[in-house]
Amino acid sequence: MPAHLRVSLADRPGALATLTRALAAAGANVLSVTVLQRESGRAVDDLLLEWPFERPWDHVVRAVEGCAGARLHGLRHIATAEAPPDTALVAQVLAQPHRALEVMVDTLPTLLLADWAAIADRRWPREPVLASPQTPLPLPVTPAALPRPRVLVVDDDPLMVMPCADSELRLLLGRSSGPGFTRTERERCTALLATVINLARMAYRDALATPPGGVTASLVELASSHTRTG
């Protein structure tokens, strides 16, 4: 069963190698390592492990604690360790621009090691207009005003919420427990959302035979009205 381990380490040669050796000695198979961010002499790393669901976490926790300067930020099982590259989302949106937001909501949880994603209307923020499996209902409470992307913790669960361009829609991305979202993850998600919205709007900049559908249509129609009145 794949597991998601987030740690921070002293940003010096050998620190990560020491940790991976300790994890291997504890019986964990390290599948991949991603360096999320570096600052103030420390590095935040995501490691995907193979760890039996029925086996307690004690050996993994002790392995981390036994590495000088290592700090455990989160440890949990996840559904899959097969995270596609960001370009896979872009390719799917290009192939299905009429379902741009639907594709994004389906794909983002895997890309960003989250458990669920949803689109909500600012006026009815707790009722999703689009949601992936495992999305909590009603949606978590989010700020009424959202001028920029926010990273929050709601009822002990990490949450990221961001406006969808100039529309009434907002994107929510959540984890059921586990590590909070980092600044790097927020910036990555912001860039992906902006790319998806721009691709959808560009696809329908000129009249086409196949109109956009579902939630994506509201973004395209809003951009078109701005173009006509601008």
Side-chain angles (χ1 to χ4, degrees), residues 155-173:
D155 297 330
D156 296 327
D157 290 337
L159 179 68
M160 187 153 47
V161 55
M162 52 191 60
C164 294
D166 46 2
S167 73
E168 299 285 357
L169 302 177
R170 52 181 54 182
L171 169 70
L172 289 81
L173 190 70

Side-chain angles (χ1 to χ4, degrees), residues 2 31-32 48 50 78-85 88 107 109-113:
L31 303 175
S32 67
L48 297 186
E50 188 64 38
I78 56 176
T80 178
E82 301 297 327
T107 308
T110 303
L111 287 180
L112 290 169
L113 294 176

Side-chain angles (χ1 to χ4, degrees), residues 72-192:
L72 177 65
H73 290 267
L75 179 59
R76 66 199 181 108
H77 281 293
I78 56 176
T80 178
E82 301 297 327
D86 293 357
T87 51
L89 171 59
V90 174
Q92 290 183 58
V93 171
L94 285 171
Q96 305 178 72
H98 61 291
R99 299 187 65 253
L101 290 184
E102 288 84 349
V103 168
M104 186 184 64
V105 164
D106 287 342
T107 308
L108 270 183
T110 303
L111 287 180
L112 290 169
L113 294 176
D115 293 312
W116 58 270
I119 297 289
D121 191 299
R122 178 186 63 82
R123 296 162 294 185
W124 305 280
R126 306 203 67 187
E127 301 175 14
V129 295
L130 189 64
S132 70
Q134 301 185 44
T135 297
L137 298 175
L139 292 173
V141 175
T142 54
L146 191 66
R148 62 185 181 279
R150 294 280 305 276
V151 170
L152 310 166
V153 176
V154 180
D155 297 330
D156 296 327
D157 290 337
L159 179 68
M160 187 153 47
V161 55
M162 52 191 60
C164 294
D166 46 2
S167 73
E168 299 285 357
L169 302 177
R170 52 181 54 182
L171 169 70
L172 289 81
L173 190 70
R175 291 185 178 125
S176 302
S177 71
F181 291 101
T182 64
R183 169 181 50 80
T184 301
E185 289 175 309
R186 184 195 66 206
E187 291 173 353
R188 180 183 174 196
C189 191
T190 300
L192 285 170

